[in-house]
Amino acid sequence: MEDKLQLLRQHFEEIVSLTDEEWNFVKSHFEFKSLKKHQFLIQVGQPVDFEYWIIKGLVKAYSIDEKGKEHILQFAMEDYWVSDHCAFQHQEPGTIFVDCLEDSEFFCLSLENREKICFEVPAVANFFRIKSNHGYINLQQRILSLLTMTAESRYEYLLNKLPKLIQRVPKKLIASYLGVSRETLSRFNS
Amino acid sequence: MEDKLQLLRQHFEEIVSLTDEEWNFVKSHFEFKSLKKHQFLIQVGQPVDFEYWIIKGLVKAYSIDEKGKEHILQFAMEDYWVSDHCAFQHQEPGTIFVDCLEDSEFFCLSLENREKICFEVPAVANFFRIKSNHGYINLQQRILSLLTMTAESRYEYLLNKLPKLIQRVPKKLIASYLGVSRETLSRFNS
DNA sequence: CTTGAAAAGTGATTTAGGTCACTTTTAGCT
DNA sequence: AGCTAAAAGTGACCTAAATCACTTTTCAAG
């Protein structure tokens, strides 16, 4: 477990510095969790008690519309954070599903603990501030891509940006992430 | 000016508490700026020296595609923050335009000053962390709406969520925000 | 008030992408 | 290795929304 916590520490220290003392305080606020492929991290209607840092594995966050169609909000793998941020923040029942596309391991942080370490250790507040800012920027770019680009160029763009992801994820899920039908995506390669 | 700074302080104190001493330190890092309708706050290719808190007025943030079509990333009015966050964060030339739909006033915060007050005053780091988190949640919901809803229901949703905005902004801009053509939007009301 | 420009509405046509139905390929399991 | 199920590919057809061209309405500035 220490080696896994060490990865998390490195993740923090890519952005801010922590003393050993601070880190020992911080790390005590995380819980470990491990799930197999197809198991759920978050489900619609269930409490969302944590946000998750992914030690290893791959998950998808998605919602299901009235017609039963899946719409993928996010893929998240090693070194990513994932949750139903909205439900988590407001401590409300989940509004999306998150499940594992591969066997995965997580460090779990509750809202209470997050606020605790943020207000206790300013560097942690800055860490999450900067992380959250990067996330915001990424989402803005995704919105722009949805507004300005055709389905095909969004696909090319993703191929460039996250080539690794494409290899780990079935194309029908990529299609659902891009907002395009499986069949249409399949006609792009050609 | 003091009354305007007081509004900004209230904006911070909706989320975190600041001592008078902290506030005096924080406020000294903002600059005031005033623009008329149609003037630009940010332009593609120009340096993005600040992020802006809007004291009063209304702006649109948008990009222009190869065909000259405008795609609106965000409307921002009183009490909102706006910038080209991506360019600002990386201190690169602007990638979007931001201009005023009404005469507007801003408090401007440079990257250097933002980092300074965040690392000097932990409450400020927490303020921006929490704000940024809210922003992230909003963008996630917008992405979901783009993936799951038809143009028409996105419009109805916006009518509900920001009725004030619709009254202040020409419909063709609303169309461009929703990712739909002006003509199509015009056929919805009926 | 008047007038010119921007905004909004509307019909006709086109098109990107969706849907449906079916086949082929690939990948896990025992 | 063999079998099942999921994934991917493909053709035919359909539809929501884009585009183009034009008219009507609204609004702001002299």
Side-chain angles (χ1 to χ4, degrees):
Chain A
M1 192 54 54
E2 264 317 307
D3 52 331
K4 286 168 186 169
L5 280 165
Q6 195 48 38
L7 290 174
L8 180 56
R9 181 172 183 172
Q10 277 165 29
H11 177 64
F12 277 90
E13 301 223 73
E14 272 168 33
I15 305 221
V16 293
S17 303
L18 295 172
T19 65
D20 286 350
E21 192 191 3
E22 285 171 332
W23 171 245
N24 285 330
F25 176 77
V26 167
K27 79 176 182 189
S28 71
H29 292 80
F30 285 87
E31 290 174 36
F32 177 79
K33 177 165 193 150
S34 169
L35 289 179
K36 297 275 172 208
K37 191 169 169 172
H38 295 133
Q39 290 188 308
F40 284 93
L41 197 57
I42 293 171
Q43 281 181 275
V44 170
Q46 299 296 115
V48 181
D49 295 324
F50 301 101
E51 55 186 13
Y52 301 90
W53 184 71
I54 304 178
I55 304 162
K56 75 176 193 72
L58 177 60
V59 305
K60 64 177 202 277
Y62 58 103
S63 84
I64 302 217
D65 67 22
E66 326 79 62
K67 287 166 203 149
K69 211 170 121 185
E70 193 175 296
H71 301 272
I72 295 187
L73 195 56
Q74 185 193 4
F75 292 110
M77 46 191 170
E78 301 79 24
D79 218 40
Y80 279 59
W81 289 87
V82 71
S83 188
D84 178 345
H85 295 287
C86 185
F88 175 73
Q89 185 65 43
H90 305 110
Q91 294 285 287
E92 289 167 357
T95 59
I96 58 171
F97 296 94
V98 179
D99 68 25
C100 299
L101 297 173
E102 303 174 0
D103 296 352
S104 305
E105 293 176 355
F106 311 91
F107 282 124
C108 319
L109 182 61
S110 71
L111 185 62
E112 199 189 333
N113 281 343
R114 190 187 71 184
E115 296 308 303
K116 209 160 128 198
I117 62 180
C118 280
F119 281 94
E120 199 71 29
V121 185
V124 171
N126 278 297
F127 169 81
F128 282 110
R129 172 179 67 84
I130 290 162
K131 268 286 156 196
S132 188
N133 208 235
H134 290 162
Y136 185 89
I137 289 166
N138 275 329
L139 293 192
Q140 272 203 339
Q141 288 183 331
R142 180 150 172 224
I143 287 172
L144 265 188
S145 81
L146 286 167
L147 291 178
T148 64
M149 299 163 87
T150 64
E152 185 157 14
S153 48
R154 288 203 296 280
Y155 182 50
E156 282 162 15
Y157 177 73
L158 189 67
L159 277 175
N160 265 332
K161 200 176 161 195
L162 296 171
K164 282 189 215 166
L165 185 74
I166 314 277
Q167 281 147 23
R168 285 168 78 175
V169 171
K171 290 237 179 74
K172 67 165 186 174
L173 295 184
I174 301 291
S176 148
Y177 175 86
L178 292 172
V180 81
S181 74
R182 184 185 75 65
E183 295 91 332
T184 299
L185 186 76
S186 159
R187 286 181 241 261
F188 287 161
N189 292 345
S190 52
Chain B
M1 191 57 52
E2 264 318 307
D3 52 330
K4 286 167 186 170
L5 280 164
Q6 195 49 38
L7 290 173
L8 181 56
R9 179 171 186 173
Q10 278 165 31
H11 177 63
F12 276 91
E13 301 224 71
E14 271 167 34
I15 306 223
V16 294
S17 301
L18 295 171
T19 64
D20 285 350
E21 192 192 0
E22 285 172 331
W23 171 246
N24 284 330
F25 176 76
V26 167
K27 79 175 183 190
S28 70
H29 292 81
F30 285 87
E31 291 174 33
F32 177 78
K33 176 165 193 151
S34 169
L35 289 180
K36 296 279 172 208
K37 190 170 170 172
H38 295 132
Q39 290 187 307
F40 284 93
L41 198 54
I42 292 171
Q43 279 180 276
V44 170
Q46 298 297 113
V48 181
D49 295 325
F50 302 101
E51 55 186 14
Y52 302 91
W53 184 71
I54 303 178
I55 304 162
K56 77 175 191 72
L58 176 60
V59 305
K60 64 176 200 280
Y62 58 102
S63 83
I64 301 216
D65 67 21
E66 326 77 64
K67 287 167 203 149
K69 212 170 120 184
E70 192 174 299
H71 303 272
I72 295 187
L73 194 55
Q74 185 195 4
F75 292 109
M77 48 192 169
E78 300 79 25
D79 218 37
Y80 279 58
W81 289 86
V82 72
S83 189
D84 178 345
H85 295 287
C86 186
F88 175 71
Q89 186 63 44
H90 304 111
Q91 295 285 288
E92 289 166 358
T95 59
I96 58 171
F97 296 95
V98 178
D99 68 26
C100 299
L101 297 173
E102 303 174 0
D103 296 352
S104 305
E105 292 176 355
F106 311 91
F107 282 124
C108 320
L109 182 59
S110 70
L111 185 61
E112 198 189 332
N113 281 344
R114 191 187 70 184
E115 297 307 304
K116 207 159 132 198
I117 61 180
C118 280
F119 281 93
E120 198 72 31
V121 184
V124 171
N126 277 296
F127 169 80
F128 281 111
R129 171 178 68 85
I130 290 163
K131 268 286 155 195
S132 188
N133 208 235
H134 290 161
Y136 184 88
I137 289 166
N138 275 329
L139 293 192
Q140 272 204 338
Q141 289 185 331
R142 180 150 172 224
I143 287 172
L144 265 188
S145 81
L146 286 168
L147 291 177
T148 65
M149 299 163 86
T150 65
E152 184 156 15
S153 47
R154 287 204 297 280
Y155 182 51
E156 282 162 16
Y157 177 75
L158 189 68
L159 277 175
N160 265 331
K161 200 175 161 197
L162 296 170
K164 279 189 216 164
L165 183 74
I166 313 276
Q167 281 148 24
R168 285 167 78 173
V169 170
K171 290 238 178 74
K172 67 164 187 174
L173 296 184
I174 301 290
S176 148
Y177 175 85
L178 293 171
V180 82
S181 75
R182 184 185 75 66
E183 294 91 331
T184 299
L185 186 78
S186 158
R187 287 181 242 260
F188 287 160
N189 292 344
S190 51

